Amino acid sequence: MDDLRAGLPFRAEYRAALGLTPGRKLLVLTSTWGPHSLLGANMDLVRRALAELPHDEYRVLAAVHPNVWYGHGGWQVRAWLAPYLRAGLLLPAPETDTWKAALVAADAFIGDHGSLTLYAAALGVPGLLGAFGDDVVAAGSPMARLGAALPRVAPDVPLGRQLRRAAAAQAGDERLAAIGGLVTSRPARAAELLRRLYYERLELDEPAWPAVPRPVALPLPLPAERYGPVPPPMFVDARTEPDGTLVLHRHVAGLQGAVTGHLADPHLVVAEGDPDGRWAGAADVVLGRAPGPRETYRSAAERVFASHGGCWLVAFADRAGGGAGCVAVTRDGGVLGGRWEEGGAAALGFEVAASVLYAVAGAGVGAELTVSVRIGGGVGALRVG
Amino acid sequence: MPHAGSSRPSHILLRDNAGRWATAAPERTVLGVVHNVTSATRLLELLAPFEGDSRVHVVFTCTGSSAFENGTREFMAARQLPWISWEEAKRKKFDLAVSSSRGGELHKLNAPLVGAPHGAGYNKHLRREPGAGSREPGAGSREPGAGSREPGAGSREPGAGSRRPSAWMRNGSLMTGS
């Protein structure tokens, strides 16, 4: 606990080491082991987190107890969570201490009756309980008190809304702070006390240097996941703020379930060639393959419209200028171009440009215009004409 | 030191003629007691106070008492922990033993024992079902009735039958008994 707390001033460094870009939030799912644990009792929460939280706003990391990992086998755990790994779940191997850096870097947690939940609360991270082993937790223990103090995940309310409520309600919550204080009665002194005890037993003089808490080590980069070439179909919610900024929220379509409150009026973006037949007929926007040597954008789009009955706009990566731009053809024959203005906005990419063009085309475009775009922590300006 | 069995100590510093083989000559030997990967990760944190002190060396052993032993050997090998068998550990005398779990026959160790939880204190009941896991009934050191570990229960000495002093960390406080 001391080492975790000693890391708090360096939160930015832990965030960077975990690959979090500015503005990206980190949700840590903490699971102990056994049938009452988060993974044991409510594995569907992993899906919900990746489905209901905006894809570009949150990263989701699962900190899994080694007894889950070694009890079932790391391959098996990864296989069970494979659809979520493909949707961006971070899953550090539990013999590493990446979970510590994640707790220090976290913006929110969803936990159970495991110790990591208690550590997260003690670090002041707002959170929810996704499961809780009421029967295995000792009455009166700090964990039992935490179980009584934290809200449980509601099955029918979008998780983003629940996390925002928890953050607002738990800021400055004295009851939670008191529970967090139970983790150690000698804050910041564990190294000193432990060393004194050891050396007394060893009948040796203690080393000359002081025994002080050491901030958690920065994590090594997580092993890179391998992805297929097909981007996952996305529901994209686009709305214009009063200042004219177009704000986009993307949600992985294939993970959606019964809760839909986070999807106000989305359009569905699907890649041409996606082998999952569910999407071809439902797509509003199709990310088209580059036109062949004898094709124009229009003729390539006609081919896509023919095989995607609900599609209204086909977007092609603009081959000129590094590929960050976009050429779009609408079903009524209109052709639109979009190009990100200089200044790092190219990172928002072709797929986001396609959704911006769909949003502005739906609103009817006359002359050229520049659209300010925000998605997750990223901002950009798309010149449309 | 005579010991049963045919094997000589597997660690050079545990041999009678250690000076012939060893590069360093530590003054004290600490035994790190591993149960599974969970407790091993915690144990390595608990041993951090010895970093930089060449007067002390650490050898590790595994109790063989955990239901979650998969991956433990690999963990110990990957971190190059100098390892001796549990049988050998029980035969030897150590200046200190450190454990981050209470499982196994800790009372059979010949060393002052310091223990700590491997999580945020003791919050769970442990139901010990006969024959559950890999712990044979009656093999442990626990007295009848010690099946549920309740926070706040007074002295819970795994080595209650042992004469050696031991201490357990709880909620950051040291619990010492003998």
Side-chain angles (χ1 to χ4, degrees):
Chain A
M1 191 69 233
D2 291 349
D3 294 353
L4 291 169
R5 285 200 176 122
L8 282 175
F10 307 98
R11 193 165 172 267
E13 281 83 348
Y14 295 106
R15 287 180 52 84
L18 289 167
L20 294 166
T21 49
R24 204 92 185 262
K25 294 186 180 124
L26 177 64
L27 170 71
V28 180
L29 304 175
T30 69
S31 180
T32 185
W33 61 281
H36 308 290
S37 66
L38 186 133
L39 286 181
N42 202 353
M43 202 183 291
D44 188 53
L45 254 182
V46 185
R47 179 197 64 75
R48 286 193 60 189
L50 289 153
E52 296 171 24
L53 299 173
H55 183 75
D56 302 280
E57 197 173 322
Y58 281 88
R59 293 236 63 174
V60 181
L61 182 146
V64 175
H65 195 287
N67 286 3
V68 181
W69 198 264
Y70 293 101
H72 292 285
W75 176 86
Q76 181 64 84
V77 176
R78 288 182 53 84
W80 282 333
L81 299 177
Y84 318 130
L85 289 166
R86 286 196 285 273
L89 175 70
L90 302 174
L91 183 66
E95 82 267 16
T96 68
D97 60 1
T98 300
W99 63 268
K100 296 182 194 169
L103 289 185
V104 177
D107 295 283
F109 71 87
I110 300 179
D112 56 17
H113 59 286
S115 292
L116 269 57
T117 308
L118 195 46
Y119 292 139
L123 289 170
V125 181
L128 308 165
L129 290 173
F132 199 79
D134 292 283
D135 294 339
V136 294
V137 171
S141 64
M143 192 63 75
R145 291 204 223 175
L146 190 64
L150 285 178
R152 313 274 169 132
V153 170
D156 52 355
V157 180
L159 278 180
R161 197 179 305 162
Q162 295 187 55
L163 290 173
R164 282 192 294 277
R165 284 180 191 159
Q170 291 171 27
D173 185 324
E174 291 182 6
R175 185 179 173 205
L176 280 172
I179 294 168
L182 296 172
V183 176
T184 173
S185 55
R186 305 286 188 276
R189 292 187 61 204
E192 171 202 336
L193 294 172
L194 201 52
R195 192 173 82 176
R196 186 186 304 161
L197 174 71
Y198 289 159
Y199 280 81
E200 278 173 13
R201 298 297 156 109
L202 291 172
E203 297 175 357
L204 275 181
D205 293 333
E206 284 190 62
W209 56 84
V212 294
R214 275 192 307 200
V216 170
L218 294 172
L220 295 172
L222 292 170
E225 295 292 334
R226 299 179 64 217
Y227 299 102
V230 187
M234 290 278 188
F235 284 121
V236 183
D237 190 53
R239 60 189 90 162
T240 307
E241 296 210 325
D243 69 353
T245 301
L246 188 69
V247 179
L248 300 181
H249 294 109
R250 297 196 291 180
H251 298 270
V252 178
L255 298 182
Q256 299 303 316
V259 177
T260 55
H262 54 288
L263 300 168
D265 181 23
H267 60 271
L268 178 62
V269 182
V270 176
E272 183 186 4
D274 191 316
D276 187 336
R278 283 179 295 170
W279 308 120
D284 301 295
V285 174
V286 172
L287 306 172
R289 310 298 307 158
R294 289 156 194 260
E295 283 184 314
T296 62
Y297 283 122
R298 268 185 208 277
S299 63
E302 286 308 320
R303 172 170 50 76
V304 174
F305 287 129
S307 55
H308 296 74
C311 172
W312 197 74
L313 181 145
V314 184
F316 300 95
D318 188 349
R319 283 168 292 182
C326 180
V327 174
V329 180
T330 55
R331 198 177 268 273
D332 62 6
V335 178
L336 280 172
R339 180 157 297 280
W340 293 108
E341 290 189 346
E342 298 291 323
L348 292 185
F350 150 65
E351 294 161 27
V352 175
S355 281
V356 174
L357 291 182
Y358 179 83
V360 299
V365 185
E368 283 199 4
L369 78 164
T370 299
V371 185
S372 298
V373 179
R374 195 169 77 235
I375 179 165
V379 292
L382 191 76
R383 199 188 309 263
V384 179
Chain B
M1 189 177 96
H3 51 79
S6 59
S7 61
R8 64 181 181 179
S10 52
H11 191 288
I12 55 170
L13 290 177
L14 300 182
R15 294 179 191 172
D16 294 336
N17 58 350
R20 181 175 171 194
W21 307 108
T23 301
E27 300 165 33
R28 298 289 189 276
T29 303
V30 175
L31 180 68
V33 184
V34 171
H35 291 76
N36 51 40
V37 175
T38 311
S39 75
T41 56
R42 178 71 177 136
L43 178 66
L44 296 186
E45 295 168 9
L46 290 172
L47 295 172
F50 294 122
E51 287 178 4
D53 189 351
S54 60
R55 297 172 302 168
V56 178
H57 80 117
V58 185
V59 296
F60 295 85
T61 190
C62 185
T63 57
S65 62
S66 170
F68 293 104
E69 232 173 76
N70 282 349
T72 308
R73 286 296 183 98
E74 291 84 349
F75 179 94
M76 295 175 79
R79 282 154 189 78
Q80 302 177 27
L81 307 187
W83 181 87
I84 64 172
S85 71
W86 179 244
E87 293 307 314
E88 187 177 349
K90 285 191 293 187
R91 287 197 301 267
K92 282 282 177 188
K93 189 172 185 300
F94 297 93
D95 300 300
L96 180 70
V98 181
S99 177
S100 51
S101 171
R102 296 177 173 208
E105 302 174 299
L106 297 181
H107 64 293
K108 294 197 173 167
L109 292 174
N110 191 6
L113 180 66
V114 171
H118 52 258
Y122 296 108
N123 290 284
K124 280 197 292 185
H125 293 292
L126 181 63
R127 287 202 180 76
R128 189 147 308 203
E129 294 158 24
S134 61
R135 300 178 200 179
E136 295 81 21
S141 62
R142 277 160 234 265
E143 299 75 29
S148 87
R149 303 186 229 173
E150 286 164 27
S155 75
R156 286 165 286 145
E157 291 303 312
S162 115
R163 304 154 310 284
R164 288 170 290 280
S166 62
W168 289 86
M169 298 273 293
R170 192 169 76 84
N171 292 350
S173 302
L174 293 173
M175 300 168 59
T176 310
S178 61

